[in-house]
Every structure is written in structure tokens, then in C-alpha cells.
Amino acid sequence: MEIIGVDGCPGGWLAVSYDVEAGTLTPRVHPYFAALLAAYPNASCVAVDIPIGLAEGEPRRCDRAARRVLGKPKASSVFPAPDPRVLTAATYEQASERSYALIGRKVTKQGFAIFPKILEVNWALTPALQGRVFEVHPEVCFWALAGGRPMEHAKRTKEGFEERRA
């Protein structure tokens, strides 16, 4: 069985394949999400750190639930998924204005930076892929691996790295 963990990167998509039987990890960069999916046709799970299934006009229940389980201060690591109607805005200013007009909330700069990746994943998904491509949030994964305890240290610190590695 093969499981793929995926995150966006400057060159496209970083995929780390885990072969369960062999116990091996294999990293690889793919230029497009569709190419990544084609490279792993037999993977039982493709877990991607990108919002999937966007809602118009209201926060997603999964984002609220993720914030709830992480608690403060880690809840802020789950940023609101954008309204899909703002994803094609050419500039951050346009996206923020459109979002504010639609839902009364501007978009974050962090969110705007990954709009192309969000579009790419959501366009690539088909009903057939929904059984094996899943949205994941790293901090929720670490919470689960730690027995329902959020990480104590920021991910960019040495302590945070060691905590997540453990």
C-alpha cells in the first residue's frame, strides 16, 4: 500500500510517498497536481495540505472543527478557506475587496499566495478521486499523533521541529 503526503512548493508540489510494506519514504517534486496524481495511480491515499471543497459565503465546518480541537493559540494555524468566487482575482487588493463585498471579510496575504494552488487542486479533483484524495492540516495531524494534544512550540523553532519529529 502506498500513501502520499503532499504540499505545495515553489517548483510545484512536493510529494512524499510512503510504501507501507517496505517502510520507505520517497520524496519527489511534481510540476502540476494532475501530474502528481498520474504518478501515483495506485496510491490508496493522497493527503494534501490545501483546502478542498470550498463553500460560498460561509466558513467551512471542517475549518471550525480543526480550530476547536487545536484550541488557542494553535487554532490560528488553520486560516479560513477562501470563498471560491475570489480565487481568480489578479491582485491581493482585488481579492480582498471582492471577498469583503461578498462575505464581509478580507483575505489573508498567506491565503492569497496559495490561491493558484487551491484552484489547481480543486480543478483536478473528480468524483472518482474523492475516495483517495483528502485535505489534511499538518497541525491537526500532529495533534492526533500526540494523542489529542496540540504542539507546544512553533514549527519554525528547533524545539518545534523536534516536537513534530518525535
Side-chain angles (χ1 to χ4, degrees), residues 4-71:
I4 315 300
V6 180
D7 201 0
C9 67
W13 298 92
L14 172 63
V16 178
S17 170
Y18 177 59
D19 183 317
V20 175
E21 287 81 26
T24 57
L25 294 170
T26 306
R28 189 169 158 201
V29 174
H30 302 271
Y32 306 103
F33 194 72
L36 181 152
L37 292 173
Y40 306 101
N42 299 318
S44 60
C45 175
V46 177
V48 60
D49 181 17
I50 283 289
I52 296 174
L54 306 175
E56 289 186 6
E58 60 184 60
R60 300 184 314 160
R61 289 184 307 193
C62 60
D63 295 334
R64 290 194 313 257
R67 285 188 207 93
R68 207 170 25 256
V69 300
L70 292 175

Side-chain angles (χ1 to χ4, degrees), residues 110-122:
Q110 177 188 14
F112 178 74
I114 65 168
F115 278 11
K117 300 280 191 202
I118 295 170
L119 280 169
E120 187 177 352
V121 169
N122 283 273

Side-chain angles (χ1 to χ4, degrees), residues 94-153:
Q94 289 173 350
S96 285
E97 288 173 15
R98 189 178 303 164
S99 181
Y100 192 79
L102 290 168
I103 61 172
R105 183 179 74 232
K106 293 184 176 185
V107 299
T108 66
K109 287 188 178 181
Q110 177 188 14
F112 178 74
I114 65 168
F115 278 11
K117 300 280 191 202
I118 295 170
L119 280 169
E120 187 177 352
V121 169
N122 283 273
W123 283 340
L125 287 183
T126 65
L129 290 171
Q130 290 177 0
R132 68 183 196 104
V133 178
F134 302 95
E135 174 183 350
V136 295
H137 192 284
E139 289 302 314
V140 174
C141 294
F142 289 121
W143 169 88
L145 290 168
R149 178 187 60 80
M151 300 290 96
E152 295 178 19
H153 303 284

